[in-house]
Amino acid sequence: MNKDASNTIISEIRKDLTNQANPNTRKQNQHYFKEEIQHYGLKMVAINAISKMYFKIIKEESKKDIFILCEKLWQSGYLEEGIIACRFSYKLRKEYEPCDFSIFEKWISKYINNWATCDTFCNKTMGDFLIQYPDYIKELKRFAKSENQWLRRAAAVSLIIPARKGLFLEDIFEIADILLLDKEDLVQKGYGWMLKVTSQTYEKEVIEYIVEHKALMPRTALRYAVEKMPKKLKDLAMDKQKPI
């Protein structure tokens, strides 16, 4: 794909996003974020439809060229364009290679600035990449120590899909250890979510982990982690005065 063709695709995507933008949706969407976000004002179903339509146009292009399109979308800073970039990169999951990791890390550290794009990208693209290349789990432990809160959240939410498959239990607990006392509520929610999903396969191991750490674990993380547990276990976990 030459530069002119790439710019045309980007322009057409932005034209469709602008034409379908709704002021009421724009106002409503901001309520879901504590930080100010740049967005057109579309519901997710509309964003997904635009993404699907344009991927049909570009699907025969090389992975390199599609990643260049993703980069341009990320650079805009707009929520909807970031979501479309997430959709495009996930469509290429059968073509992932180890060298793609540095690109994915760049997108998280440089462009992601809200939970919606973080979770969409990490659940799908990063989650699938890690299932294919599990050696890169060690990089998530580096993410978990970053000053960038989105890399720290990514360390946890990139493991949501693998956790649903019963994978990487020891690594999940290691990442939870690193994030245990994190001050950012979105990071707390991220690792709490990771533990919650893990508990659906490893309930005994997760409740033992939570009880061992519950005196230190922030209540936000704790509530997320035990959400799917039976009431008896949930009550024991939430009561910091009671041993199990």
Side-chain angles (χ1 to χ4, degrees), residues 78-89:
Y78 275 81
L79 173 69
E80 293 90 346
E81 294 190 39
I83 296 293
I84 292 171
C86 294
R87 301 296 189 226
F88 285 178
S89 63

Side-chain angles (χ1 to χ4, degrees), residues 19-61:
N19 289 341
Q20 295 187 43
N22 183 300
N24 290 331
T25 301
R26 190 174 191 278
K27 184 177 180 180
Q28 291 166 4
N29 285 351
Q30 181 59 57
H31 288 255
Y32 295 105
F33 303 88
K34 67 177 184 178
E35 61 279 327
E36 191 70 27
I37 60 168
Q38 284 185 285
H39 58 126
Y40 293 87
L42 278 76
K43 293 184 181 296
M44 193 60 72
V45 65
I47 303 170
N48 290 341
I50 291 171
S51 172
K52 186 175 181 180
M53 178 176 69
Y54 280 97
F55 193 78
K56 287 180 180 178
I57 296 171
I58 65 172
K59 66 181 181 180
E60 300 302 327
E61 302 293 339

Side-chain angles (χ1 to χ4, degrees), residues 92-194:
L92 301 176
R93 59 193 179 277
K94 292 182 180 178
E95 300 180 42
Y96 291 165
E97 303 168 87
C99 60
D100 294 329
F101 186 84
S102 61
I103 297 172
F104 299 158
E105 180 178 356
K106 175 188 174 184
W107 291 348
I108 299 169
S109 62
K110 190 170 182 179
Y111 302 124
I112 283 178
N113 58 12
N114 62 78
W115 63 263
T117 49
C118 183
D119 295 1
T120 303
F121 182 71
C122 293
N123 275 196
K124 297 292 187 178
T125 295
M126 286 291 288
D128 203 281
F129 178 90
L130 292 165
I131 290 170
Q132 293 184 47
Y133 302 106
D135 286 349
Y136 281 82
I137 293 287
K138 64 181 182 294
E139 300 298 332
L140 295 187
K141 297 165 191 176
R142 177 171 57 82
F143 284 12
K145 299 173 183 177
S146 172
E147 293 183 1
N148 182 325
Q149 70 165 315
W150 303 114
L151 280 170
R152 300 201 307 277
R153 183 174 172 99
V157 299
S158 294
L159 290 173
I160 298 298
I161 300 305
R164 285 180 181 153
K165 297 178 180 291
L167 301 173
F168 310 138
L169 180 63
E170 290 184 10
D171 299 295
I172 285 167
F173 287 145
E174 285 183 39
I175 287 169
D177 283 345
I178 297 169
L179 297 176
L180 186 67
L181 300 179
D182 201 290
K183 301 299 184 185
E184 291 289 342
D185 70 322
L186 287 171
V187 178
Q188 295 171 14
K189 290 174 181 177
Y191 86 78
W193 181 17
M194 174 183 70

